[in-house]
Amino acid sequence: MNTAEDSKSIFEKVRALSSQEEARVYGTGLWKLCHRLANVGYPPAKEFFIKGLEDPRWDWRRVSVELLGSHYKLEHQVIDKICHLLLNDPDSGVRIASAYTIGKQTPFPEKNIIHALVIDSSELVREAAFSALLEQAGVAYKTKLRELDRVRAKEITPNLDQVKRILIDENLSTSSALLEEK
Amino acid sequence: MMRFERILQTEPKPLTSDEREKVDHLLEDLDDFLEEHPNLAEEAARKANGEELEYDHPGEAEQYLRGVEQDIAHLKSVRRSRNTEAQAAINQSVKNDQSWLLSGEK
C-alpha cells in the first residue's frame, strides 16, 4: 500500500510525464503508476483522469476511462463524457473500457450501452456492451461468465434478444420489464 | 504505371508509433497488471459468490483482456504491410499475450 507521500510523488511524476506530448502510457511502466494512484483512490488523480478523457492521445483516454470506472464513483457530467466516448471514440479499446465503466456507474438499462451493443463495428465492443448490460441487470457473475463463454464458442451472438433471454432464464423479471420499456 | 500495379510496388513499412505502443503494451504490461492484482483469482471467486468488492478488479481484468485482444487483432491486421523487423515484433508480442489468453500461462 502506498503512503500519502508516495501517492503525491507518483502523482507529480505522472502529471509531469503526461504534459510531454510523446509520453506513452503503455509499455513504459506508466500504466502501473496510474493504477497505483487509482488503487488507493487518490483524489487528485480522479480529477487528472477526468481531464484525460479529453486527451487527444488514445492511450491517455483509454487508461483514464479504465481507472475511473473500476476505482472511483463518478458524477453525471463525467458519465456523460464517457457515454460520448463509447459512441464516438475512434479507438475501440477506449470504447471497450467505456462500456464497462458506464455499466458500473449507471442503472440498468443504460441506453448508450444498448446503442453500442446494436451498432458498434467492433465485435469486442459489442461483447463488452453485452457484458456490461448483464452485470447492470443483476445477472450473477458466474452466469455472465458462462454466457460470455458461449459467445466465444459462437453458440450465441451478443445482442439484445440474448440479453432478454438471459434475464428470463434467470428470473430477473424487473430487469426484463425495464428493458421492454426501452 | 497503372493504379493497381502501384499497390504491388508499395514498400513494407515499419511500425507506426501507435503500433509500437501496442506491441510494447503486449510485451511489457501484462506482468505489471498481474503484479498489481496479486489476488485476482480470489477476488473473482468472492465476486462469483455475490460479494461486493471495494474495487472491481475482476471487472477491470475482463476489460483489460478485451483491450489486449483488440490490440492483437489490430496488429495482426497490419502485419502483412509491415517490414520484416516490424513483423517480428508483432509476432513476438502476439505470441506473448496469446499464450496467456489461451492458457493463463506465459
Side-chain angles (χ1 to χ4, degrees):
Chain A
M1 184 67 75
N2 301 338
T3 64
E5 207 50 44
D6 287 340
S7 296
K8 190 174 177 219
S9 151
I10 291 171
F11 181 60
E12 291 307 324
K13 186 175 177 183
V14 168
R15 199 164 59 169
L17 281 168
S18 76
S19 66
Q20 297 172 16
E21 201 177 325
E22 72 282 4
R24 301 180 310 150
V25 174
Y26 297 112
T28 60
L30 204 48
W31 175 85
K32 188 178 186 174
L33 295 180
C34 290
H35 186 267
R36 291 234 164 124
L37 294 170
N39 217 24
V40 294
Y42 188 62
K46 181 182 176 184
E47 286 309 308
F48 174 80
F49 294 134
I50 291 171
K51 280 187 187 152
L53 299 175
E54 294 173 12
D55 199 290
R57 296 165 294 186
W58 65 270
D59 50 348
W60 287 93
R61 293 196 304 281
R62 194 195 284 194
V63 77
S64 296
V65 182
E66 281 174 356
L67 295 178
L68 283 169
S70 46
H71 295 85
Y72 295 96
K73 175 82 186 124
L74 303 178
E75 297 74 25
H76 287 302
Q77 60 269 37
V78 179
I79 293 168
D80 287 347
K81 282 182 184 176
I82 297 173
C83 286
H84 181 79
L85 294 176
L86 172 63
L87 300 182
N88 299 291
D89 201 283
D91 182 78
S92 46
V94 173
R95 302 201 304 279
I96 287 169
S98 298
Y100 164 78
T101 294
I102 298 164
K104 291 295 295 178
Q105 306 267 346
T106 60
F108 178 82
E110 208 290 321
K111 64 178 181 183
N112 295 291
I113 303 179
I114 293 175
H115 196 67
L117 174 65
V118 175
I119 63 131
D120 200 284
S121 58
S122 158
E123 206 172 309
L124 285 165
V125 176
R126 294 196 301 275
E127 185 189 283
F130 181 70
S131 173
L133 276 176
L134 293 182
E135 195 140 340
Q136 266 198 324
V139 172
Y141 184 55
K142 277 181 192 169
T143 305
K144 187 192 86 164
L145 294 181
R146 190 182 65 226
E147 295 293 343
L148 287 172
D149 281 341
R150 296 185 68 198
V151 169
R152 290 307 175 95
K154 308 273 183 210
E155 288 173 21
I156 60 169
T157 304
N159 59 30
L160 216 43
D161 286 339
Q162 287 298 333
V163 174
K164 288 174 186 170
R165 191 264 309 159
I166 294 163
L167 297 184
I168 292 167
D169 287 355
E170 294 298 300
N171 291 319
L172 291 164
S173 52
T174 309
S175 293
S176 187
L178 284 169
L179 191 57
E180 289 298 337
E181 285 171 17
K182 276 279 166 179
Chain B
M1 188 183 294
M2 298 294 286
R3 185 173 170 221
F4 289 108
E5 282 179 314
R6 278 205 299 274
I7 294 172
L8 298 173
Q9 298 291 318
T10 305
E11 285 282 313
K13 295 181 174 63
L15 294 171
T16 65
S17 64
D18 281 352
E19 290 159 6
R20 178 79 254 170
E21 181 169 3
K22 287 179 198 293
V23 163
D24 290 344
H25 178 42
L26 299 183
L27 287 174
E28 306 294 337
D29 290 338
L30 180 57
D31 287 338
D32 282 351
F33 186 87
L34 296 174
E35 196 182 305
E36 287 290 296
H37 301 94
N39 305 315
L40 200 51
E42 182 209 319
E43 288 176 298
R46 284 166 54 202
K47 185 171 175 176
N49 286 329
E51 198 176 319
E52 194 77 27
L53 305 175
E54 185 186 4
Y55 296 127
D56 182 24
H57 289 144
E60 192 185 349
E62 186 188 319
Q63 62 161 332
Y64 182 90
L65 288 180
R66 275 198 197 93
V68 162
E69 287 181 81
Q70 190 72 47
D71 292 341
I72 287 175
H74 175 77
L75 290 171
K76 281 181 168 177
S77 74
V78 300
R79 187 183 171 283
R80 271 185 71 182
S81 55
R82 295 296 173 262
N83 64 23
T84 312
E85 193 186 339
Q87 288 190 2
I90 290 173
N91 292 349
Q92 194 192 349
S93 65
V94 167
K95 189 179 166 200
N96 186 60
D97 278 30
Q98 216 159 35
S99 60
W100 180 63
L101 287 169
L102 292 172
S103 67
E105 289 172 13
K106 286 179 71 182

